[in-house]
Amino acid sequence: MTTEDPGNFPFTFPPGITQPPELARLREEAPVTLVTLPTGDRAWLVTRYEDVKQVLADPRFSRAAAELPGAPQMGASNPGPDVLLGMDGPEHARLRRTATRHFTARRVEALRPWTRRLAGQLMDDLISAGPPADLVS
């Protein structure tokens, strides 16, 4: 079931409300619908949990295909086909297995003091340099 374009996506989250009213309406009236992305591209939005699970498990839906030229884009930058988020199938699984070994709860907890020190030092450097600040660099 689809509906007329509900407007631009992503929706605005009003203060104090846990979800945009458009999202709740779409779940009830049109759980699969076309939306307009910030780039002007059109894409399908799936809003119900069971439907999302089905899409994510279906090999006909592809992250790699979403990286191809001409695919709808959320913004100026996408992960790209050589990045884990832009891969499908065996290559994605292989890289994910490699990465997850290094991000166990025990390993992340062991890194916490180092991460805090590094973040603190970077913030101190940012503050001492004065405005303007470039958080990316």
Side-chain angles (χ1 to χ4, degrees), residues 82-98:
D82 298 327
V83 175
L84 186 63
L85 291 174
M87 293 179 176
D88 290 326
E91 186 63 5
H92 174 91
R94 183 186 70 76
L95 289 175
R96 185 175 172 150
R97 276 191 306 274
T98 300

Side-chain angles (χ1 to χ4, degrees), residues 19-39:
Q19 70 178 1
E22 299 95 335
L23 187 57
R25 182 180 63 78
L26 288 174
R27 277 195 189 117
E28 291 298 317
E29 298 174 14
V32 178
T33 192
L34 278 169
V35 293
T36 302
L37 302 176
T39 57

